[in-house]
PDB file of all heavy atoms in Angstrom:
ATOM      1  N   ARG S 170     142.876 -17.479  93.364  1.00  0.00           N
ATOM      2  CA  ARG S 170     143.077 -17.259  94.792  1.00  0.00           C
ATOM      3  C   ARG S 170     142.277 -18.256  95.615  1.00  0.00           C
ATOM      4  O   ARG S 170     142.700 -18.654  96.698  1.00  0.00           O
ATOM      5  CB  ARG S 170     142.665 -15.842  95.184  1.00  0.00           C
ATOM      6  CG  ARG S 170     143.605 -14.758  94.706  1.00  0.00           C
ATOM      7  CD  ARG S 170     145.005 -14.862  95.339  1.00  0.00           C
ATOM      8  NE  ARG S 170     144.963 -14.947  96.782  1.00  0.00           N
ATOM      9  CZ  ARG S 170     144.883 -13.920  97.604  1.00  0.00           C
ATOM     10  NH1 ARG S 170     144.813 -12.695  97.121  1.00  0.00           N
ATOM     11  NH2 ARG S 170     144.872 -14.088  98.918  1.00  0.00           N
ATOM     12  N   SER S 192     163.729 -20.125  89.711  1.00  0.00           N
ATOM     13  CA  SER S 192     163.389 -21.186  90.651  1.00  0.00           C
ATOM     14  C   SER S 192     161.988 -20.947  91.220  1.00  0.00           C
ATOM     15  O   SER S 192     161.673 -19.842  91.666  1.00  0.00           O
ATOM     16  CB  SER S 192     164.403 -21.216  91.794  1.00  0.00           C
ATOM     17  OG  SER S 192     163.968 -22.060  92.828  1.00  0.00           O
ATOM     18  N   TYR S 196     154.613 -25.027  98.291  1.00  0.00           N
ATOM     19  CA  TYR S 196     154.423 -25.455  99.665  1.00  0.00           C
ATOM     20  C   TYR S 196     152.936 -25.657  99.929  1.00  0.00           C
ATOM     21  O   TYR S 196     152.094 -24.946  99.377  1.00  0.00           O
ATOM     22  CB  TYR S 196     154.943 -24.414 100.659  1.00  0.00           C
ATOM     23  CG  TYR S 196     156.425 -24.196 100.620  1.00  0.00           C
ATOM     24  CD1 TYR S 196     156.994 -23.325  99.701  1.00  0.00           C
ATOM     25  CD2 TYR S 196     157.265 -24.858 101.509  1.00  0.00           C
ATOM     26  CE1 TYR S 196     158.363 -23.124  99.666  1.00  0.00           C
ATOM     27  CE2 TYR S 196     158.633 -24.662 101.487  1.00  0.00           C
ATOM     28  CZ  TYR S 196     159.173 -23.792 100.559  1.00  0.00           C
ATOM     29  OH  TYR S 196     160.528 -23.592 100.531  1.00  0.00           O
ATOM     30  N   GLN S 198     150.294 -25.418 103.051  1.00  0.00           N
ATOM     31  CA  GLN S 198     150.167 -24.892 104.403  1.00  0.00           C
ATOM     32  C   GLN S 198     148.830 -25.311 104.993  1.00  0.00           C
ATOM     33  O   GLN S 198     147.764 -24.993 104.460  1.00  0.00           O
ATOM     34  CB  GLN S 198     150.294 -23.364 104.422  1.00  0.00           C
ATOM     35  CG  GLN S 198     150.272 -22.790 105.827  1.00  0.00           C
ATOM     36  CD  GLN S 198     150.400 -21.277 105.861  1.00  0.00           C
ATOM     37  OE1 GLN S 198     150.200 -20.596 104.849  1.00  0.00           O
ATOM     38  NE2 GLN S 198     150.758 -20.738 107.000  1.00  0.00           N
ATOM     39  N   LEU S 204     153.895 -25.266 107.119  1.00  0.00           N
ATOM     40  CA  LEU S 204     154.305 -25.261 105.712  1.00  0.00           C
ATOM     41  C   LEU S 204     155.135 -26.491 105.411  1.00  0.00           C
ATOM     42  O   LEU S 204     156.147 -26.743 106.059  1.00  0.00           O
ATOM     43  CB  LEU S 204     155.141 -24.018 105.387  1.00  0.00           C
ATOM     44  CG  LEU S 204     154.402 -22.735 105.163  1.00  0.00           C
ATOM     45  CD1 LEU S 204     154.354 -21.933 106.450  1.00  0.00           C
ATOM     46  CD2 LEU S 204     155.082 -21.916 104.075  1.00  0.00           C
ATOM     47  N   PHE S 206     157.094 -28.567 102.298  1.00  0.00           N
ATOM     48  CA  PHE S 206     157.678 -28.419 100.972  1.00  0.00           C
ATOM     49  C   PHE S 206     157.145 -29.504 100.038  1.00  0.00           C
ATOM     50  O   PHE S 206     157.177 -30.695 100.370  1.00  0.00           O
ATOM     51  CB  PHE S 206     159.195 -28.507 101.090  1.00  0.00           C
ATOM     52  CG  PHE S 206     159.942 -28.522  99.789  1.00  0.00           C
ATOM     53  CD1 PHE S 206     160.132 -27.361  99.067  1.00  0.00           C
ATOM     54  CD2 PHE S 206     160.475 -29.707  99.305  1.00  0.00           C
ATOM     55  CE1 PHE S 206     160.843 -27.371  97.878  1.00  0.00           C
ATOM     56  CE2 PHE S 206     161.181 -29.728  98.123  1.00  0.00           C
ATOM     57  CZ  PHE S 206     161.367 -28.557  97.404  1.00  0.00           C
ATOM     58  N   GLU S 209     160.410 -28.264  94.015  1.00  0.00           N
ATOM     59  CA  GLU S 209     161.037 -27.076  93.455  1.00  0.00           C
ATOM     60  C   GLU S 209     161.402 -27.344  92.006  1.00  0.00           C
ATOM     61  O   GLU S 209     161.886 -28.434  91.667  1.00  0.00           O
ATOM     62  CB  GLU S 209     162.303 -26.693  94.219  1.00  0.00           C
ATOM     63  CG  GLU S 209     162.937 -25.392  93.717  1.00  0.00           C
ATOM     64  CD  GLU S 209     164.456 -25.441  93.646  1.00  0.00           C
ATOM     65  OE1 GLU S 209     165.058 -26.467  94.009  1.00  0.00           O
ATOM     66  OE2 GLU S 209     165.048 -24.442  93.208  1.00  0.00           O
ATOM     67  N   ASN S 217     164.061 -30.571  93.446  1.00  0.00           N
ATOM     68  CA  ASN S 217     163.871 -31.119  94.780  1.00  0.00           C
ATOM     69  C   ASN S 217     162.426 -31.557  94.919  1.00  0.00           C
ATOM     70  O   ASN S 217     161.523 -30.981  94.299  1.00  0.00           O
ATOM     71  CB  ASN S 217     164.156 -30.067  95.856  1.00  0.00           C
ATOM     72  CG  ASN S 217     165.631 -29.937  96.167  1.00  0.00           C
ATOM     73  OD1 ASN S 217     166.275 -30.911  96.527  1.00  0.00           O
ATOM     74  ND2 ASN S 217     166.157 -28.744  96.014  1.00  0.00           N
ATOM     75  N   SER S 255     162.659 -17.666  93.541  1.00  0.00           N
ATOM     76  CA  SER S 255     163.953 -17.098  93.901  1.00  0.00           C
ATOM     77  C   SER S 255     164.794 -17.004  92.652  1.00  0.00           C
ATOM     78  O   SER S 255     164.494 -17.614  91.633  1.00  0.00           O
ATOM     79  CB  SER S 255     164.647 -17.928  94.986  1.00  0.00           C
ATOM     80  OG  SER S 255     164.907 -19.225  94.541  1.00  0.00           O
ATOM     81  N   MET S 259     171.587 -23.205  92.993  1.00  0.00           N
ATOM     82  CA  MET S 259     171.221 -24.155  94.020  1.00  0.00           C
ATOM     83  C   MET S 259     171.843 -23.675  95.332  1.00  0.00           C
ATOM     84  O   MET S 259     172.892 -24.114  95.725  1.00  0.00           O
ATOM     85  CB  MET S 259     171.710 -25.559  93.672  1.00  0.00           C
ATOM     86  CG  MET S 259     171.265 -26.607  94.680  1.00  0.00           C
ATOM     87  SD  MET S 259     171.656 -28.287  94.174  1.00  0.00           S
ATOM     88  CE  MET S 259     170.387 -28.567  92.961  1.00  0.00           C
ATOM     89  N   SER S 260     171.203 -22.743  95.935  1.00  0.00           N
ATOM     90  CA  SER S 260     171.734 -22.223  97.187  1.00  0.00           C
ATOM     91  C   SER S 260     170.597 -21.840  98.107  1.00  0.00           C
ATOM     92  O   SER S 260     169.684 -21.132  97.715  1.00  0.00           O
ATOM     93  CB  SER S 260     172.599 -20.986  96.942  1.00  0.00           C
ATOM     94  OG  SER S 260     172.906 -20.354  98.166  1.00  0.00           O
ATOM     95  N   ALA S 261     170.689 -22.286  99.304  1.00  0.00           N
ATOM     96  CA  ALA S 261     169.670 -21.929 100.281  1.00  0.00           C
ATOM     97  C   ALA S 261     169.830 -20.487 100.745  1.00  0.00           C
ATOM     98  O   ALA S 261     169.064 -20.019 101.552  1.00  0.00           O
ATOM     99  CB  ALA S 261     169.735 -22.869 101.476  1.00  0.00           C
ATOM    100  N   LYS S 262     170.826 -19.777 100.190  1.00  0.00           N
ATOM    101  CA  LYS S 262     170.936 -18.350 100.490  1.00  0.00           C
ATOM    102  C   LYS S 262     169.985 -17.537  99.633  1.00  0.00           C
ATOM    103  O   LYS S 262     169.753 -16.371  99.898  1.00  0.00           O
ATOM    104  CB  LYS S 262     172.365 -17.858 100.229  1.00  0.00           C
ATOM    105  CG  LYS S 262     173.376 -18.245 101.287  1.00  0.00           C
ATOM    106  CD  LYS S 262     174.707 -17.564 101.007  1.00  0.00           C
ATOM    107  CE  LYS S 262     175.722 -17.868 102.093  1.00  0.00           C
ATOM    108  NZ  LYS S 262     177.006 -17.187 101.844  1.00  0.00           N
ATOM    109  N   ILE S 264     166.926 -15.890  98.607  1.00  0.00           N
ATOM    110  CA  ILE S 264     165.709 -15.530  99.324  1.00  0.00           C
ATOM    111  C   ILE S 264     164.507 -15.948  98.507  1.00  0.00           C
ATOM    112  O   ILE S 264     164.446 -15.738  97.296  1.00  0.00           O
ATOM    113  CB  ILE S 264     165.686 -14.025  99.592  1.00  0.00           C
ATOM    114  CG1 ILE S 264     166.822 -13.665 100.536  1.00  0.00           C
ATOM    115  CG2 ILE S 264     164.333 -13.603 100.171  1.00  0.00           C
ATOM    116  CD1 ILE S 264     167.053 -12.180 100.645  1.00  0.00           C
ATOM    117  N   GLN S 265     163.542 -16.551  99.175  1.00  0.00           N
ATOM    118  CA  GLN S 265     162.316 -16.951  98.519  1.00  0.00           C
ATOM    119  C   GLN S 265     161.268 -15.863  98.711  1.00  0.00           C
ATOM    120  O   GLN S 265     161.047 -15.379  99.820  1.00  0.00           O
ATOM    121  CB  GLN S 265     161.814 -18.267  99.092  1.00  0.00           C
ATOM    122  CG  GLN S 265     162.800 -19.405  98.870  1.00  0.00           C
ATOM    123  CD  GLN S 265     162.139 -20.761  98.916  1.00  0.00           C
ATOM    124  OE1 GLN S 265     160.930 -20.892  98.922  1.00  0.00           O
ATOM    125  NE2 GLN S 265     162.953 -21.796  98.935  1.00  0.00           N
ATOM    126  N   PHE S 267     157.305 -15.049  98.292  1.00  0.00           N
ATOM    127  CA  PHE S 267     156.079 -15.832  98.262  1.00  0.00           C
ATOM    128  C   PHE S 267     154.918 -15.077  97.615  1.00  0.00           C
ATOM    129  O   PHE S 267     154.791 -13.854  97.757  1.00  0.00           O
ATOM    130  CB  PHE S 267     155.676 -16.221  99.682  1.00  0.00           C
ATOM    131  CG  PHE S 267     156.492 -17.329 100.261  1.00  0.00           C
ATOM    132  CD1 PHE S 267     157.736 -17.073 100.822  1.00  0.00           C
ATOM    133  CD2 PHE S 267     156.022 -18.630 100.247  1.00  0.00           C
ATOM    134  CE1 PHE S 267     158.498 -18.098 101.357  1.00  0.00           C
ATOM    135  CE2 PHE S 267     156.768 -19.660 100.778  1.00  0.00           C
ATOM    136  CZ  PHE S 267     158.006 -19.403 101.336  1.00  0.00           C
ATOM    137  N   GLY S 268     154.068 -15.847  96.955  1.00  0.00           N
ATOM    138  CA  GLY S 268     152.804 -15.326  96.502  1.00  0.00           C
ATOM    139  C   GLY S 268     151.783 -15.366  97.629  1.00  0.00           C
ATOM    140  O   GLY S 268     152.068 -15.852  98.727  1.00  0.00           O
ATOM    141  N   ALA S 269     150.582 -14.871  97.355  1.00  0.00           N
ATOM    142  CA  ALA S 269     149.529 -14.822  98.371  1.00  0.00           C
ATOM    143  C   ALA S 269     148.856 -16.172  98.560  1.00  0.00           C
ATOM    144  O   ALA S 269     148.120 -16.366  99.529  1.00  0.00           O
ATOM    145  CB  ALA S 269     148.497 -13.760  98.008  1.00  0.00           C
TER     146      ALA S 269
ATOM    147  N   TYR Z 171     171.376 -21.808 107.318  1.00  0.00           N
ATOM    148  CA  TYR Z 171     170.911 -20.493 106.893  1.00  0.00           C
ATOM    149  C   TYR Z 171     169.531 -20.328 107.533  1.00  0.00           C
ATOM    150  O   TYR Z 171     168.666 -21.174 107.370  1.00  0.00           O
ATOM    151  CB  TYR Z 171     170.813 -20.400 105.376  1.00  0.00           C
ATOM    152  CG  TYR Z 171     172.117 -20.631 104.659  1.00  0.00           C
ATOM    153  CD1 TYR Z 171     172.146 -21.216 103.411  1.00  0.00           C
ATOM    154  CD2 TYR Z 171     173.324 -20.251 105.230  1.00  0.00           C
ATOM    155  CE1 TYR Z 171     173.336 -21.431 102.736  1.00  0.00           C
ATOM    156  CE2 TYR Z 171     174.525 -20.463 104.566  1.00  0.00           C
ATOM    157  CZ  TYR Z 171     174.530 -21.058 103.323  1.00  0.00           C
ATOM    158  OH  TYR Z 171     175.712 -21.270 102.663  1.00  0.00           O
ATOM    159  N   PHE Z 173     166.028 -17.996 108.676  1.00  0.00           N
ATOM    160  CA  PHE Z 173     165.138 -16.948 108.198  1.00  0.00           C
ATOM    161  C   PHE Z 173     163.960 -16.805 109.154  1.00  0.00           C
ATOM    162  O   PHE Z 173     163.532 -17.758 109.797  1.00  0.00           O
ATOM    163  CB  PHE Z 173     164.577 -17.298 106.813  1.00  0.00           C
ATOM    164  CG  PHE Z 173     165.608 -17.604 105.767  1.00  0.00           C
ATOM    165  CD1 PHE Z 173     166.202 -18.845 105.690  1.00  0.00           C
ATOM    166  CD2 PHE Z 173     165.961 -16.639 104.832  1.00  0.00           C
ATOM    167  CE1 PHE Z 173     167.152 -19.136 104.726  1.00  0.00           C
ATOM    168  CE2 PHE Z 173     166.904 -16.919 103.843  1.00  0.00           C
ATOM    169  CZ  PHE Z 173     167.501 -18.174 103.802  1.00  0.00           C
ATOM    170  N   TYR Z 175     160.031 -15.258 108.672  1.00  0.00           N
ATOM    171  CA  TYR Z 175     159.026 -14.718 107.767  1.00  0.00           C
ATOM    172  C   TYR Z 175     157.789 -14.338 108.582  1.00  0.00           C
ATOM    173  O   TYR Z 175     157.509 -14.932 109.640  1.00  0.00           O
ATOM    174  CB  TYR Z 175     158.604 -15.754 106.728  1.00  0.00           C
ATOM    175  CG  TYR Z 175     159.560 -15.954 105.574  1.00  0.00           C
ATOM    176  CD1 TYR Z 175     160.620 -16.846 105.671  1.00  0.00           C
ATOM    177  CD2 TYR Z 175     159.386 -15.268 104.377  1.00  0.00           C
ATOM    178  CE1 TYR Z 175     161.486 -17.049 104.606  1.00  0.00           C
ATOM    179  CE2 TYR Z 175     160.229 -15.461 103.300  1.00  0.00           C
ATOM    180  CZ  TYR Z 175     161.276 -16.351 103.423  1.00  0.00           C
ATOM    181  OH  TYR Z 175     162.129 -16.545 102.354  1.00  0.00           O
ATOM    182  N   GLN Z 177     153.502 -13.624 108.143  1.00  0.00           N
ATOM    183  CA  GLN Z 177     152.349 -13.819 107.264  1.00  0.00           C
ATOM    184  C   GLN Z 177     151.140 -13.113 107.867  1.00  0.00           C
ATOM    185  O   GLN Z 177     150.673 -13.488 108.939  1.00  0.00           O
ATOM    186  CB  GLN Z 177     152.057 -15.304 107.068  1.00  0.00           C
ATOM    187  CG  GLN Z 177     150.928 -15.587 106.095  1.00  0.00           C
ATOM    188  CD  GLN Z 177     150.674 -17.083 105.931  1.00  0.00           C
ATOM    189  OE1 GLN Z 177     150.817 -17.857 106.879  1.00  0.00           O
ATOM    190  NE2 GLN Z 177     150.311 -17.507 104.716  1.00  0.00           N
ATOM    191  N   GLY Z 180     145.457 -13.775 104.942  1.00  0.00           N
ATOM    192  CA  GLY Z 180     145.166 -13.722 103.523  1.00  0.00           C
ATOM    193  C   GLY Z 180     146.340 -13.358 102.651  1.00  0.00           C
ATOM    194  O   GLY Z 180     146.173 -13.144 101.442  1.00  0.00           O
ATOM    195  N   GLY Z 182     150.688 -13.857 101.538  1.00  0.00           N
ATOM    196  CA  GLY Z 182     151.813 -14.777 101.509  1.00  0.00           C
ATOM    197  C   GLY Z 182     152.803 -14.428 102.608  1.00  0.00           C
ATOM    198  O   GLY Z 182     152.513 -13.642 103.506  1.00  0.00           O
ATOM    199  N   LEU Z 183     153.963 -15.020 102.540  1.00  0.00           N
ATOM    200  CA  LEU Z 183     154.985 -14.792 103.553  1.00  0.00           C
ATOM    201  C   LEU Z 183     155.937 -13.686 103.110  1.00  0.00           C
ATOM    202  O   LEU Z 183     156.362 -13.644 101.957  1.00  0.00           O
ATOM    203  CB  LEU Z 183     155.784 -16.073 103.798  1.00  0.00           C
ATOM    204  CG  LEU Z 183     155.175 -17.100 104.739  1.00  0.00           C
ATOM    205  CD1 LEU Z 183     153.949 -17.755 104.116  1.00  0.00           C
ATOM    206  CD2 LEU Z 183     156.200 -18.149 105.122  1.00  0.00           C
ATOM    207  N   LEU Z 185     159.617 -11.836 104.035  1.00  0.00           N
ATOM    208  CA  LEU Z 185     160.871 -12.029 104.753  1.00  0.00           C
ATOM    209  C   LEU Z 185     161.119 -10.876 105.718  1.00  0.00           C
ATOM    210  O   LEU Z 185     161.084  -9.705 105.335  1.00  0.00           O
ATOM    211  CB  LEU Z 185     162.029 -12.131 103.767  1.00  0.00           C
ATOM    212  CG  LEU Z 185     163.414 -12.322 104.395  1.00  0.00           C
ATOM    213  CD1 LEU Z 185     163.513 -13.715 105.024  1.00  0.00           C
ATOM    214  CD2 LEU Z 185     164.504 -12.129 103.345  1.00  0.00           C
ATOM    215  N   LYS Z 188     167.306 -12.467 107.841  1.00  0.00           N
ATOM    216  CA  LYS Z 188     168.002 -13.713 107.532  1.00  0.00           C
ATOM    217  C   LYS Z 188     169.371 -13.714 108.178  1.00  0.00           C
ATOM    218  O   LYS Z 188     169.941 -12.659 108.457  1.00  0.00           O
ATOM    219  CB  LYS Z 188     168.148 -13.867 106.013  1.00  0.00           C
ATOM    220  CG  LYS Z 188     168.964 -12.753 105.357  1.00  0.00           C
ATOM    221  CD  LYS Z 188     168.918 -12.839 103.870  1.00  0.00           C
ATOM    222  CE  LYS Z 188     169.817 -11.766 103.219  1.00  0.00           C
ATOM    223  NZ  LYS Z 188     169.330 -10.411 103.476  1.00  0.00           N
ATOM    224  N   PHE Z 190     173.109 -15.734 107.547  1.00  0.00           N
ATOM    225  CA  PHE Z 190     173.922 -16.682 106.796  1.00  0.00           C
ATOM    226  C   PHE Z 190     175.224 -16.966 107.533  1.00  0.00           C
ATOM    227  O   PHE Z 190     175.635 -18.105 107.688  1.00  0.00           O
ATOM    228  CB  PHE Z 190     174.228 -16.143 105.398  1.00  0.00           C
ATOM    229  CG  PHE Z 190     173.012 -16.020 104.509  1.00  0.00           C
ATOM    230  CD1 PHE Z 190     173.000 -15.115 103.453  1.00  0.00           C
ATOM    231  CD2 PHE Z 190     171.885 -16.790 104.717  1.00  0.00           C
ATOM    232  CE1 PHE Z 190     171.877 -14.999 102.634  1.00  0.00           C
ATOM    233  CE2 PHE Z 190     170.763 -16.690 103.910  1.00  0.00           C
ATOM    234  CZ  PHE Z 190     170.763 -15.783 102.861  1.00  0.00           C
ATOM    235  N   PHE Z 229     156.914 -17.205 111.107  1.00  0.00           N
ATOM    236  CA  PHE Z 229     157.510 -18.498 110.786  1.00  0.00           C
ATOM    237  C   PHE Z 229     159.030 -18.394 110.771  1.00  0.00           C
ATOM    238  O   PHE Z 229     159.593 -17.500 110.142  1.00  0.00           O
ATOM    239  CB  PHE Z 229     157.040 -18.993 109.414  1.00  0.00           C
ATOM    240  CG  PHE Z 229     155.580 -19.332 109.358  1.00  0.00           C
ATOM    241  CD1 PHE Z 229     154.653 -18.370 108.988  1.00  0.00           C
ATOM    242  CD2 PHE Z 229     155.134 -20.598 109.683  1.00  0.00           C
ATOM    243  CE1 PHE Z 229     153.298 -18.672 108.934  1.00  0.00           C
ATOM    244  CE2 PHE Z 229     153.784 -20.913 109.632  1.00  0.00           C
ATOM    245  CZ  PHE Z 229     152.867 -19.947 109.270  1.00  0.00           C
ATOM    246  N   GLY Z 233     167.259 -22.979 105.851  1.00  0.00           N
ATOM    247  CA  GLY Z 233     167.599 -23.357 104.489  1.00  0.00           C
ATOM    248  C   GLY Z 233     168.715 -24.378 104.542  1.00  0.00           C
ATOM    249  O   GLY Z 233     169.794 -24.097 105.062  1.00  0.00           O
ATOM    250  N   THR Z 237     170.781 -29.239 100.289  1.00  0.00           N
ATOM    251  CA  THR Z 237     169.659 -29.707  99.469  1.00  0.00           C
ATOM    252  C   THR Z 237     169.083 -28.565  98.653  1.00  0.00           C
ATOM    253  O   THR Z 237     167.896 -28.509  98.398  1.00  0.00           O
ATOM    254  CB  THR Z 237     168.555 -30.350 100.325  1.00  0.00           C
ATOM    255  OG1 THR Z 237     168.111 -29.396 101.301  1.00  0.00           O
ATOM    256  CG2 THR Z 237     169.035 -31.596 101.003  1.00  0.00           C
ATOM    257  N   GLY Z 238     169.961 -27.643  98.267  1.00  0.00           N
ATOM    258  CA  GLY Z 238     169.524 -26.591  97.372  1.00  0.00           C
ATOM    259  C   GLY Z 238     168.545 -25.641  97.999  1.00  0.00           C
ATOM    260  O   GLY Z 238     168.758 -25.115  99.072  1.00  0.00           O
ATOM    261  N   ASN Z 239     167.462 -25.441  97.314  1.00  0.00           N
ATOM    262  CA  ASN Z 239     166.505 -24.449  97.735  1.00  0.00           C
ATOM    263  C   ASN Z 239     165.435 -24.992  98.671  1.00  0.00           C
ATOM    264  O   ASN Z 239     164.404 -24.373  98.860  1.00  0.00           O
ATOM    265  CB  ASN Z 239     165.836 -23.832  96.512  1.00  0.00           C
ATOM    266  CG  ASN Z 239     166.363 -22.442  96.233  1.00  0.00           C
ATOM    267  OD1 ASN Z 239     167.156 -21.907  96.993  1.00  0.00           O
ATOM    268  ND2 ASN Z 239     165.905 -21.850  95.153  1.00  0.00           N
ATOM    269  N   GLN Z 240     165.634 -26.163  99.247  1.00  0.00           N
ATOM    270  CA  GLN Z 240     164.605 -26.714 100.113  1.00  0.00           C
ATOM    271  C   GLN Z 240     164.684 -26.062 101.485  1.00  0.00           C
ATOM    272  O   GLN Z 240     165.742 -26.024 102.110  1.00  0.00           O
ATOM    273  CB  GLN Z 240     164.766 -28.221 100.252  1.00  0.00           C
ATOM    274  CG  GLN Z 240     163.653 -28.844 101.057  1.00  0.00           C
ATOM    275  CD  GLN Z 240     163.555 -30.341 100.866  1.00  0.00           C
ATOM    276  OE1 GLN Z 240     164.115 -30.872  99.911  1.00  0.00           O
ATOM    277  NE2 GLN Z 240     162.851 -31.013 101.742  1.00  0.00           N
ATOM    278  N   PHE Z 241     163.570 -25.549 101.908  1.00  0.00           N
ATOM    279  CA  PHE Z 241     163.480 -24.884 103.190  1.00  0.00           C
ATOM    280  C   PHE Z 241     162.588 -25.676 104.130  1.00  0.00           C
ATOM    281  O   PHE Z 241     161.617 -26.299 103.714  1.00  0.00           O
ATOM    282  CB  PHE Z 241     162.899 -23.480 103.025  1.00  0.00           C
ATOM    283  CG  PHE Z 241     163.876 -22.497 102.478  1.00  0.00           C
ATOM    284  CD1 PHE Z 241     164.245 -22.541 101.150  1.00  0.00           C
ATOM    285  CD2 PHE Z 241     164.433 -21.526 103.292  1.00  0.00           C
ATOM    286  CE1 PHE Z 241     165.157 -21.640 100.636  1.00  0.00           C
ATOM    287  CE2 PHE Z 241     165.344 -20.617 102.783  1.00  0.00           C
ATOM    288  CZ  PHE Z 241     165.709 -20.671 101.455  1.00  0.00           C
ATOM    289  N   PHE Z 243     160.274 -25.200 107.484  1.00  0.00           N
ATOM    290  CA  PHE Z 243     159.608 -24.185 108.275  1.00  0.00           C
ATOM    291  C   PHE Z 243     159.118 -24.750 109.604  1.00  0.00           C
ATOM    292  O   PHE Z 243     158.747 -25.922 109.700  1.00  0.00           O
ATOM    293  CB  PHE Z 243     158.393 -23.635 107.522  1.00  0.00           C
ATOM    294  CG  PHE Z 243     158.737 -22.693 106.397  1.00  0.00           C
ATOM    295  CD1 PHE Z 243     159.081 -23.173 105.154  1.00  0.00           C
ATOM    296  CD2 PHE Z 243     158.715 -21.316 106.604  1.00  0.00           C
ATOM    297  CE1 PHE Z 243     159.400 -22.297 104.120  1.00  0.00           C
ATOM    298  CE2 PHE Z 243     159.027 -20.443 105.576  1.00  0.00           C
ATOM    299  CZ  PHE Z 243     159.372 -20.936 104.337  1.00  0.00           C
TER     300      PHE Z 243
END
Side-chain angles (χ1 to χ4, degrees):
Chain S
R170 288 296 308 276
S192 169
Y196 295 84
Q198 184 180 17
L204 281 95
F206 174 77
E209 184 221 358
N217 277 303
S255 62
M259 184 173 283
S260 169
K262 284 187 177 181
I264 295 169
Q265 298 203 11
F267 284 82
Chain Z
Y171 300 148
F173 305 81
Y175 282 87
Q177 184 180 34
L183 278 70
L185 179 69
K188 61 188 184 294
F190 294 155
F229 293 91
T237 57
N239 255 355
Q240 184 163 343
F241 284 73
F243 285 83

